[in-house]
Amino acid sequence: MTSTNQHIQHHTEKNQNKARLLISCTDKPGIVAAISTFLHEHGANIVESNQYTTHPDEGTFFIRIEFAASDMKEKEETFQEGFKEIAAQFHMKWRLTFLYKLKNMAIFVSKELHCLRELLYEWESGGLMADIPLVISNHKEGKELVESFGIPFYHIPASKEIRHEVEEEQLKLLKEYDIDVIVLARYMQILTPHFVSTHPSKIINIHHSFLPAFIGANPHKRAHKRGVKLIGATCHYVTDDLDEGPIIEQDVIRVDHRNHIDDLKKKGRLIERTVLNRGVKWDLEDRVIVHQNKTIVL
Amino acid sequence: MTSTNQHIQHHTEKNQNKARLLISCTDKPGIVAAISTFLHEHGANIVESNQYTTHPDEGTFFIRIEFAASDMKEKEETFQEGFKEIAAQFHMKWRLTFLYKLKNMAIFVSKELHCLRELLYEWESGGLMADIPLVISNHKEGKELVESFGIPFYHIPASKEIRHEVEEEQLKLLKEYDIDVIVLARYMQILTPHFVSTHPSKIINIHHSFLPAFIGANPHKRAHKRGVKLIGATCHYVTDDLDEGPIIEQDVIRVDHRNHIDDLKKKGRLIERTVLNRGVKWDLEDRVIVHQNKTIVL
Amino acid sequence: MTSTNQHIQHHTEKNQNKARLLISCTDKPGIVAAISTFLHEHGANIVESNQYTTHPDEGTFFIRIEFAASDMKEKEETFQEGFKEIAAQFHMKWRLTFLYKLKNMAIFVSKELHCLRELLYEWESGGLMADIPLVISNHKEGKELVESFGIPFYHIPASKEIRHEVEEEQLKLLKEYDIDVIVLARYMQILTPHFVSTHPSKIINIHHSFLPAFIGANPHKRAHKRGVKLIGATCHYVTDDLDEGPIIEQDVIRVDHRNHIDDLKKKGRLIERTVLNRGVKWDLEDRVIVHQNKTIVL
Amino acid sequence: MTSTNQHIQHHTEKNQNKARLLISCTDKPGIVAAISTFLHEHGANIVESNQYTTHPDEGTFFIRIEFAASDMKEKEETFQEGFKEIAAQFHMKWRLTFLYKLKNMAIFVSKELHCLRELLYEWESGGLMADIPLVISNHKEGKELVESFGIPFYHIPASKEIRHEVEEEQLKLLKEYDIDVIVLARYMQILTPHFVSTHPSKIINIHHSFLPAFIGANPHKRAHKRGVKLIGATCHYVTDDLDEGPIIEQDVIRVDHRNHIDDLKKKGRLIERTVLNRGVKWDLEDRVIVHQNKTIVL
């Protein structure tokens, strides 16, 4: 499948000696010193880092570090093991990813294909660093498009009544393909708490409004009725509370009195695919930490 | 007072032969022909016009026409009278304004001065075509600033208990100064239905959120809690339903995880003054028609 | 070919009784009256109109009118003939288009497909009202994509040496398919003055910089060297002066110190396709008038 | 003077235990480890840090660190001295600033006051952390405004002929007031290489175009002639090459065919003050490093 995607292969090779650390923990003196000394002692060089500590009253420490080391593949275990100790010492939540290994991203879609398309093109042109081992849909509309990229398309019809069976089948596939990230690219089915709990902070959704305005159904119809001058889209992680998950990215587009509901939908599609694209990209680049139902984007 | 404002004087002189028509009515064939023939027969030339008719199902006609005629002052009554007939024929809601006469704009303010300041500077640099005969405030903070522009400042302390008396005093002043437009530039008192009814579609407010998100109090605190990535401001006409009036203009500004509530307020002030400025400008230029709790901006 | 595009068919049917007038001429009193009276007398109703007259010193009149009439198809010739007289009277440059007839748009492309893709998807989702009878390319990269939409793809290799022959072949195809608009969607060949002269104000190009910054080759390399904080794209009509034609639309995207030339190219692709899309859309909607190497967008 | 500015006093007190490091040097392994270990050993805690290393081929290391320590004032010399050693070891260019000490900012202005005003208001509302000990102008227009803030206003008439004497007088004042940053807020005189050399990367200018488009005089006139759809402003450090210094920030605003040169100037003023405000703010927050005629904004 990825044989067709030279951009990603090229990028992966070029960055085979790079890795990324994404950490959050209660702030304490000496964290940066401990991490950077460890990396230095193991021959790694920090390429880029961003760190942020919340207000002293609360004191949570967040850092994203991109580092390079020759022969990273051979050293992978050394870094993993060595870093475990530091993480234990500071009670860190952490993630260490190696750029030579691509993440596996699954895309869920229904009838509307604009978000799926944007992701596939961005992926093809090297903008999204991941493998896409499969696309799952409750409709057949996307089949031809997906398969033209050499990606397997799974058609799993869904409805409220068979939700449990559908999710079982989906979860089986996600496991089989070893999926790291699930993107709901206008997937019009509600996921059960069970499904969500299997992938905490790993399911990304796009909502077609500027949340918290127009939570729920028919946001464009309601936006038209209210006479707003901008409509938006919100990319967020999925939690059990519908439309209430941590927001990764939002943006808006201008509308005016000449725009009927259909025009709002058309303009909305443009801003939806733009915002989802950005949110997924940041997630794949290990830039996003979830903290208290908000995101830190480093 | 306007002796200090050469920009406005200059502009008024340059445009002394111009006038504007702002019309809405049920659509019928022949409206544009009737208006343009009338103007042509009375020696007027159309400089700019924008017309829009809502979807056939509803069929409301809106037009804004800017036209020029030599000796406009002498012809003012001719145009007023002549146009009355056309208006009657088509059952129009209409407004005919002559650019040599400035509108009278009153500004209401409380303690926060950023919106007042923006309006005064935009006015001074020729961006807002109006006279500002007075500023009314329930606090003293703005006094020095306002008087430095040669504008009378009326300090009328206000509270729930004396709302009635306060509004009586305000309405007396508005009448005395023959006020056309009232701008609430972060005026932190609720107006009674009686006050609002005296100036339908003539009271402009700035709300410090992207409505309908965060209707009501403390929008920045709630925006911070929700973790939004953009905050906004909404300029709207005041109606009896708080924060539910027809929206004239909205815009947003980017925020991130590093921004505490105070930062949101600071960034909010920037977008508030920008949006209010734009909304007031459009209103003064006779660009805004209210229709079914929405605005048509021509 | 258009059998696959239900959005456009649907839109064309819905608007079969609509037409558009796009006019420019020296300003004189009575133009709007003459046009609107003519339309009214022939049973047409103005749906939307925008008019603008340049500064009195120069005095050029521009108008775009969208009007509706029952049985428009039958009345087409009546409108065409009748309007000829008015046009003659006021020495107008004018265009009268009927919405039931789609314009024929040809797309020229080379190796980079992002702009072509954006146009095809926007077209498929009903955002660009035109027929696309063919795509011409000097490379083979776009073949599969284009044909997947049921559109003929003509591969005409090109080089300086055979420019004349290549253009002959292209012109023959444009004539055969009765092309109204040519879009250069990152077509990397220079057109001869002869070619350009055959389609005045009908060839739309996308330049990968915010003109007039970085006119000519390698704009991203030079933007990187200069350390700009925004990069842009410019959609313009092609004239004999390279990169000097009338600008239809421009926009920018933020870059920072972390972005290498490759990143600028990647971000540039996003803004290029967005800007080209918008410019082509406006042209197809008869919104753009060329006047003295500038555009009036109504 | 600063007695009137409670916002800044409050902020300075709240941050009296904070300091900032801004560093650039050739990249080597172990820099972050050395810095963070040093800070940790001296009881300092990193609050926020951003680090970036240019492409391996070139390999320049940049970091901005904000750190806190109890009793910072007493430890100031310890940090200064201790850090000198690390800096020497890695051949760093560096700057260590303590937030309890405000920078001294001088503003130069001519007749147009919009940028000066924006800076003064932003400063008054706590958005620009600096003292403003003086404003220098070659005209008298700004006197009243500046003195209303309790800031001394120096009127030094200037012309080509007396450039040398004028600059001597200016330099004397800058020395007397111990100025750290000079902001040219639409100061319409060219500075000599001598003047510029006395304050390398410390003179901030606002140019009224989106550089490198419309370098030099009359950018709005030329933008109008070219028919651009956006106009911009560029905030940059002053070097001997006019309009060629390292760019700190740029932004644009939309214009259209209805805008004459005067309208472009008016819209330009809005984007100029916005962009200058942002650039100055970043400089005062020690976010900007100049590197090879570009800026790294951390």
Side-chain angles (χ1 to χ4, degrees):
Chain A
M1 164 210 53
T2 54
S3 62
T4 60
N5 199 331
Q6 303 172 333
H7 283 291
I8 290 182
Q9 281 192 335
H10 174 70
H11 188 272
T12 306
E13 274 160 35
K14 221 181 62 180
N15 289 285
Q16 60 179 331
N17 285 328
K18 282 193 185 159
R20 290 193 204 112
L21 262 169
L22 197 63
I23 299 167
S24 65
C25 63
T26 301
D27 193 28
K28 268 192 208 173
I31 305 180
V32 178
I35 301 170
S36 56
T37 302
F38 165 77
L39 290 175
H40 180 43
E41 287 172 359
H42 289 78
N45 197 28
I46 298 178
V47 176
E48 185 179 341
S49 81
N50 289 286
Q51 181 245 318
Y52 169 70
T53 302
T54 56
H55 203 265
D57 304 349
E58 202 230 342
T60 306
F61 171 97
F62 305 95
I63 199 164
R64 178 188 185 267
I65 298 175
E66 197 163 309
F67 63 94
S70 55
D71 308 317
M72 185 68 92
K73 281 189 199 182
E74 287 92 87
K75 292 178 187 163
E76 174 169 346
E77 212 180 310
T78 313
F79 280 117
Q80 289 280 15
E81 289 307 311
F83 196 73
K84 256 184 206 164
E85 287 178 36
I86 296 176
Q89 182 190 344
F90 290 99
H91 304 286
M92 291 170 172
K93 282 204 266 182
W94 62 293
R95 178 158 100 201
L96 173 55
T97 54
F98 295 84
L99 271 67
Y100 74 87
K101 288 185 194 170
L102 286 170
K103 288 194 184 73
N104 286 322
M105 175 167 77
I107 304 176
F108 282 41
V109 72
S110 292
K111 284 187 172 184
E112 287 199 87
L113 304 181
H114 57 287
C115 285
L116 172 65
R117 236 174 222 150
E118 182 80 13
L119 293 174
L120 290 176
Y121 287 124
E122 198 63 20
W123 174 74
E124 196 190 34
S125 65
L128 295 177
M129 287 300 136
D131 269 343
I132 306 179
L134 82 164
V135 171
I136 293 175
S137 180
N138 56 332
H139 291 278
K140 287 183 175 169
E141 272 76 359
K143 186 176 164 62
E144 210 179 345
L145 172 69
V146 168
E147 291 181 349
S148 77
F149 285 87
I151 298 172
F153 178 88
Y154 288 85
H155 176 220
I156 308 179
S159 68
K160 258 190 198 171
E161 294 68 33
I162 54 164
R163 187 164 287 165
H164 182 68
E165 294 79 351
V166 169
E167 290 196 349
E168 280 308 301
E169 199 174 340
Q170 292 170 339
L171 287 168
K172 213 183 122 204
L173 283 167
L174 298 178
K175 202 169 175 185
E176 185 184 321
Y177 284 103
D178 195 19
I179 294 303
D180 300 292
V181 187
I182 301 162
V183 180
L184 308 183
R186 305 289 293 132
Y187 180 66
M188 308 308 282
Q189 293 285 319
I190 292 172
L191 303 176
T192 66
H194 169 63
F195 189 104
V196 173
S197 71
T198 58
H199 293 83
S201 301
K202 292 192 169 174
I203 311 175
I204 298 175
N205 186 42
I206 181 73
H207 184 77
H208 47 324
S209 86
F210 179 74
L211 290 175
F214 309 119
I215 289 182
N218 296 320
H220 294 131
K221 195 175 166 187
R222 288 147 67 206
H224 184 257
K225 192 170 185 311
R226 181 62 187 94
V228 294
K229 298 298 184 184
L230 300 166
I231 58 166
T234 303
C235 177
H236 64 94
Y237 290 113
V238 176
T239 60
D240 288 352
D241 290 321
L242 194 63
D243 301 343
E244 294 285 357
I247 295 170
I248 306 171
E249 172 62 338
Q250 304 185 287
D251 215 337
V252 293
I253 193 169
R254 196 157 280 276
V255 297
D256 68 30
H257 58 265
R258 291 171 300 186
N259 298 128
H260 295 286
I261 298 175
D262 277 356
D263 302 312
L264 263 52
K265 282 183 185 165
K266 212 177 268 185
K267 289 194 170 188
R269 286 198 281 268
L270 180 59
I271 199 70
E272 285 157 35
R273 59 183 168 112
T274 305
V275 167
L276 179 61
N277 194 359
R278 243 184 264 156
V280 169
K281 193 183 173 75
W282 294 344
D283 181 89
L284 291 174
E285 293 177 353
D286 302 303
R287 299 196 175 279
V288 193
I289 302 178
V290 172
H291 177 64
Q292 294 179 339
N293 208 44
K294 294 194 210 178
T295 63
I296 314 292
V297 182
L298 297 169
Chain B
M1 162 212 54
T2 53
S3 62
T4 60
N5 198 332
Q6 303 171 333
H7 283 291
I8 289 183
Q9 280 192 335
H10 174 71
H11 189 271
T12 305
E13 274 160 36
K14 221 180 60 181
N15 290 284
Q16 60 180 331
N17 285 328
K18 282 194 185 158
R20 288 191 205 114
L21 264 169
L22 197 64
I23 300 167
S24 65
C25 62
T26 300
D27 194 26
K28 269 192 209 173
I31 305 179
V32 177
I35 301 170
S36 55
T37 302
F38 166 76
L39 289 175
H40 179 44
E41 287 171 0
H42 289 76
N45 197 27
I46 298 178
V47 177
E48 186 179 341
S49 81
N50 290 287
Q51 180 244 318
Y52 170 70
T53 303
T54 56
H55 202 267
D57 305 349
E58 203 230 341
T60 307
F61 171 97
F62 305 95
I63 199 165
R64 177 188 186 267
I65 297 176
E66 197 164 308
F67 62 95
S70 55
D71 308 317
M72 184 69 91
K73 280 189 202 183
E74 286 93 87
K75 293 179 187 162
E76 175 170 346
E77 212 179 309
T78 313
F79 280 117
Q80 289 280 14
E81 290 307 311
F83 197 72
K84 254 183 207 166
E85 286 177 39
I86 296 176
Q89 181 189 345
F90 291 99
H91 305 286
M92 293 172 171
K93 282 204 265 181
W94 62 293
R95 178 159 99 200
L96 172 55
T97 53
F98 294 84
L99 271 68
Y100 74 86
K101 287 185 195 169
L102 287 170
K103 289 195 184 73
N104 286 321
M105 174 168 77
I107 305 176
F108 282 41
V109 72
S110 291
K111 284 186 172 184
E112 286 200 88
L113 305 181
H114 55 288
C115 286
L116 173 65
R117 234 174 224 151
E118 183 79 13
L119 293 174
L120 291 176
Y121 287 125
E122 198 63 20
W123 174 74
E124 196 190 35
S125 66
L128 295 176
M129 286 300 136
D131 269 344
I132 307 179
L134 82 164
V135 172
I136 294 176
S137 180
N138 56 332
H139 290 278
K140 288 184 176 169
E141 272 76 1
K143 187 176 163 63
E144 211 179 344
L145 172 67
V146 169
E147 292 181 348
S148 78
F149 283 86
I151 298 172
F153 178 88
Y154 288 85
H155 177 220
I156 309 179
S159 69
K160 258 190 200 171
E161 293 68 34
I162 53 165
R163 188 164 287 166
H164 183 68
E165 294 81 350
V166 168
E167 290 196 348
E168 280 307 301
E169 198 175 341
Q170 292 171 340
L171 287 169
K172 212 182 122 205
L173 283 167
L174 298 178
K175 202 169 176 185
E176 184 184 322
Y177 284 104
D178 195 20
I179 293 302
D180 300 293
V181 187
I182 302 162
V183 180
L184 308 183
R186 306 289 294 130
Y187 180 65
M188 308 308 282
Q189 294 285 317
I190 290 172
L191 303 176
T192 66
H194 169 65
F195 190 104
V196 173
S197 70
T198 58
H199 294 82
S201 299
K202 290 191 169 174
I203 310 174
I204 299 175
N205 186 42
I206 181 74
H207 183 78
H208 48 324
S209 87
F210 179 76
L211 290 176
F214 309 119
I215 288 182
N218 297 319
H220 294 131
K221 193 174 167 188
R222 289 147 66 207
H224 185 257
K225 191 169 186 309
R226 181 61 187 92
V228 295
K229 298 298 184 185
L230 300 167
I231 58 167
T234 303
C235 176
H236 64 94
Y237 290 112
V238 175
T239 59
D240 288 353
D241 288 323
L242 195 64
D243 301 344
E244 295 285 357
I247 294 169
I248 306 171
E249 172 62 338
Q250 305 186 286
D251 215 339
V252 294
I253 193 170
R254 195 157 279 277
V255 298
D256 68 28
H257 59 265
R258 291 171 300 186
N259 297 129
H260 295 287
I261 298 174
D262 277 356
D263 301 313
L264 263 52
K265 284 183 183 165
K266 213 178 267 183
K267 289 194 169 188
R269 285 198 282 267
L270 180 59
I271 198 71
E272 285 158 35
R273 59 182 167 113
T274 305
V275 168
L276 179 61
N277 194 0
R278 243 184 265 157
V280 169
K281 192 184 173 75
W282 294 343
D283 181 272
L284 290 174
E285 293 177 353
D286 302 304
R287 298 195 176 280
V288 193
I289 302 178
V290 172
H291 177 64
Q292 296 179 339
N293 209 42
K294 297 194 208 177
T295 64
I296 314 292
V297 182
L298 296 170
Chain C
M1 164 212 54
T2 54
S3 63
T4 59
N5 199 333
Q6 305 171 332
H7 283 290
I8 289 183
Q9 281 192 333
H10 175 70
H11 189 271
T12 305
E13 275 160 36
K14 222 180 61 182
N15 290 285
Q16 59 179 332
N17 285 327
K18 282 194 185 158
R20 289 190 204 116
L21 263 168
L22 198 62
I23 299 167
S24 64
C25 63
T26 300
D27 194 26
K28 269 192 207 172
I31 305 179
V32 178
I35 301 170
S36 55
T37 303
F38 166 76
L39 290 175
H40 179 44
E41 287 171 0
H42 289 77
N45 197 28
I46 298 178
V47 177
E48 187 179 341
S49 81
N50 290 287
Q51 181 246 318
Y52 170 70
T53 302
T54 56
H55 203 266
D57 304 350
E58 202 230 342
T60 307
F61 171 96
F62 305 95
I63 198 164
R64 177 187 185 269
I65 298 176
E66 196 164 310
F67 62 94
S70 55
D71 308 316
M72 184 69 90
K73 281 189 201 184
E74 286 94 87
K75 294 180 188 161
E76 174 170 345
E77 213 179 308
T78 314
F79 281 117
Q80 288 281 15
E81 289 308 311
F83 197 72
K84 255 184 207 165
E85 287 177 36
I86 296 176
Q89 180 189 347
F90 291 99
H91 304 285
M92 291 172 172
K93 282 204 266 182
W94 61 293
R95 177 158 101 201
L96 173 56
T97 53
F98 295 84
L99 271 68
Y100 74 86
K101 287 185 194 168
L102 286 170
K103 289 194 182 73
N104 286 323
M105 175 168 77
I107 304 176
F108 282 40
V109 72
S110 292
K111 284 186 171 184
E112 287 199 88
L113 305 181
H114 56 287
C115 285
L116 172 65
R117 236 173 222 150
E118 182 80 13
L119 293 175
L120 291 176
Y121 287 125
E122 198 63 19
W123 174 74
E124 196 190 35
S125 66
L128 296 177
M129 285 301 135
D131 268 344
I132 306 179
L134 82 164
V135 171
I136 293 176
S137 180
N138 55 333
H139 290 278
K140 288 184 175 168
E141 272 77 0
K143 187 176 163 63
E144 210 179 345
L145 172 68
V146 169
E147 293 181 347
S148 78
F149 283 87
I151 298 172
F153 178 88
Y154 288 86
H155 176 220
I156 308 179
S159 68
K160 261 190 198 171
E161 293 68 34
I162 54 166
R163 188 165 286 165
H164 183 68
E165 294 80 350
V166 168
E167 291 196 348
E168 280 307 303
E169 199 175 341
Q170 292 171 339
L171 287 168
K172 212 182 122 204
L173 283 168
L174 298 178
K175 202 167 175 187
E176 183 183 323
Y177 284 103
D178 194 18
I179 294 303
D180 300 292
V181 187
I182 301 162
V183 180
L184 308 183
R186 306 288 295 128
Y187 180 65
M188 308 308 283
Q189 294 285 317
I190 291 173
L191 303 176
T192 66
H194 169 64
F195 190 104
V196 173
S197 70
T198 57
H199 294 81
S201 300
K202 290 191 171 176
I203 311 174
I204 299 174
N205 186 42
I206 180 76
H207 183 77
H208 48 323
S209 86
F210 179 73
L211 289 175
F214 309 119
I215 288 182
N218 296 321
H220 293 131
K221 195 175 166 188
R222 289 147 66 207
H224 185 257
K225 191 168 187 308
R226 181 61 187 93
V228 294
K229 298 299 185 185
L230 300 167
I231 58 167
T234 303
C235 176
H236 64 94
Y237 290 112
V238 175
T239 59
D240 287 353
D241 289 323
L242 195 64
D243 300 345
E244 295 286 357
I247 295 170
I248 306 170
E249 171 62 339
Q250 304 187 286
D251 215 338
V252 294
I253 193 169
R254 195 156 280 277
V255 298
D256 67 29
H257 58 265
R258 291 170 301 185
N259 298 128
H260 295 286
I261 298 174
D262 278 355
D263 301 313
L264 263 52
K265 283 183 183 164
K266 213 177 267 184
K267 288 194 170 189
R269 285 198 282 268
L270 180 59
I271 198 72
E272 285 157 35
R273 60 182 167 112
T274 306
V275 167
L276 179 61
N277 193 0
R278 243 185 264 155
V280 169
K281 192 184 173 75
W282 294 343
D283 181 89
L284 291 173
E285 293 176 352
D286 303 303
R287 300 196 174 278
V288 193
I289 301 177
V290 172
H291 177 64
Q292 296 179 337
N293 208 43
K294 296 194 209 179
T295 64
I296 315 291
V297 182
L298 296 169
Chain D
M1 163 212 52
T2 54
S3 63
T4 60
N5 198 332
Q6 304 171 333
H7 283 290
I8 290 183
Q9 281 192 335
H10 174 70
H11 189 271
T12 305
E13 274 161 35
K14 221 181 61 183
N15 289 285
Q16 60 179 330
N17 285 328
K18 282 194 185 159
R20 290 192 204 112
L21 262 168
L22 197 64
I23 299 166
S24 65
C25 62
T26 300
D27 193 28
K28 268 192 208 174
I31 305 179
V32 178
I35 301 169
S36 55
T37 303
F38 166 76
L39 290 175
H40 180 43
E41 287 172 0
H42 288 77
N45 197 29
I46 298 177
V47 175
E48 186 180 341
S49 81
N50 290 287
Q51 181 246 316
Y52 171 68
T53 303
T54 55
H55 202 265
D57 304 349
E58 201 231 343
T60 308
F61 171 98
F62 305 95
I63 199 165
R64 177 186 186 269
I65 298 176
E66 195 163 310
F67 63 94
S70 54
D71 308 316
M72 184 68 91
K73 282 189 199 184
E74 286 93 87
K75 291 179 188 164
E76 175 170 345
E77 212 180 308
T78 313
F79 280 117
Q80 288 280 15
E81 289 308 311
F83 197 73
K84 255 184 207 165
E85 287 179 37
I86 296 176
Q89 182 189 343
F90 290 99
H91 305 285
M92 293 170 172
K93 282 204 265 183
W94 62 293
R95 176 157 101 200
L96 174 54
T97 53
F98 294 84
L99 272 67
Y100 74 87
K101 289 185 193 170
L102 287 170
K103 290 195 183 71
N104 286 323
M105 175 167 77
I107 304 177
F108 282 40
V109 73
S110 293
K111 282 186 173 186
E112 288 200 86
L113 305 181
H114 56 287
C115 285
L116 172 65
R117 237 172 221 151
E118 182 80 12
L119 294 174
L120 291 177
Y121 287 123
E122 197 63 20
W123 174 74
E124 196 190 35
S125 66
L128 295 177
M129 287 300 136
D131 268 344
I132 306 178
L134 82 163
V135 171
I136 293 176
S137 180
N138 56 333
H139 291 278
K140 286 183 175 169
E141 272 77 0
K143 186 176 164 64
E144 210 179 344
L145 172 69
V146 169
E147 292 181 348
S148 78
F149 283 87
I151 298 172
F153 178 87
Y154 288 85
H155 177 220
I156 308 179
S159 68
K160 259 191 200 172
E161 294 68 34
I162 54 165
R163 189 164 287 165
H164 183 68
E165 293 81 351
V166 168
E167 290 196 349
E168 279 308 301
E169 199 175 340
Q170 292 171 339
L171 287 168
K172 212 182 123 205
L173 283 168
L174 298 178
K175 201 169 178 187
E176 184 184 321
Y177 283 104
D178 195 18
I179 293 304
D180 300 291
V181 187
I182 301 163
V183 180
L184 308 183
R186 306 290 293 130
Y187 180 66
M188 308 308 283
Q189 294 285 319
I190 291 172
L191 303 176
T192 67
H194 170 64
F195 190 103
V196 172
S197 71
T198 57
H199 293 82
S201 300
K202 290 191 170 177
I203 310 175
I204 298 174
N205 186 42
I206 181 74
H207 183 78
H208 48 324
S209 86
F210 179 75
L211 290 175
F214 308 119
I215 288 182
N218 296 322
H220 294 129
K221 196 175 165 187
R222 288 148 66 206
H224 185 257
K225 190 168 187 312
R226 181 62 187 93
V228 295
K229 298 298 184 185
L230 300 166
I231 59 167
T234 303
C235 176
H236 64 94
Y237 290 112
V238 176
T239 59
D240 288 352
D241 290 322
L242 195 64
D243 301 343
E244 294 286 356
I247 294 170
I248 306 171
E249 172 63 338
Q250 304 186 286
D251 215 338
V252 294
I253 193 169
R254 196 155 279 276
V255 297
D256 67 30
H257 58 266
R258 291 171 300 185
N259 299 129
H260 296 286
I261 298 174
D262 277 356
D263 301 313
L264 263 51
K265 283 182 184 165
K266 212 177 266 184
K267 288 194 171 190
R269 287 199 280 269
L270 180 59
I271 199 71
E272 285 158 35
R273 60 183 168 111
T274 305
V275 168
L276 179 61
N277 193 359
R278 242 184 265 156
V280 168
K281 192 184 173 75
W282 293 344
D283 181 90
L284 290 175
E285 292 176 354
D286 303 302
R287 298 195 176 279
V288 193
I289 301 177
V290 172
H291 177 63
Q292 296 177 339
N293 209 43
K294 296 193 209 178
T295 64
I296 315 291
V297 181
L298 296 169

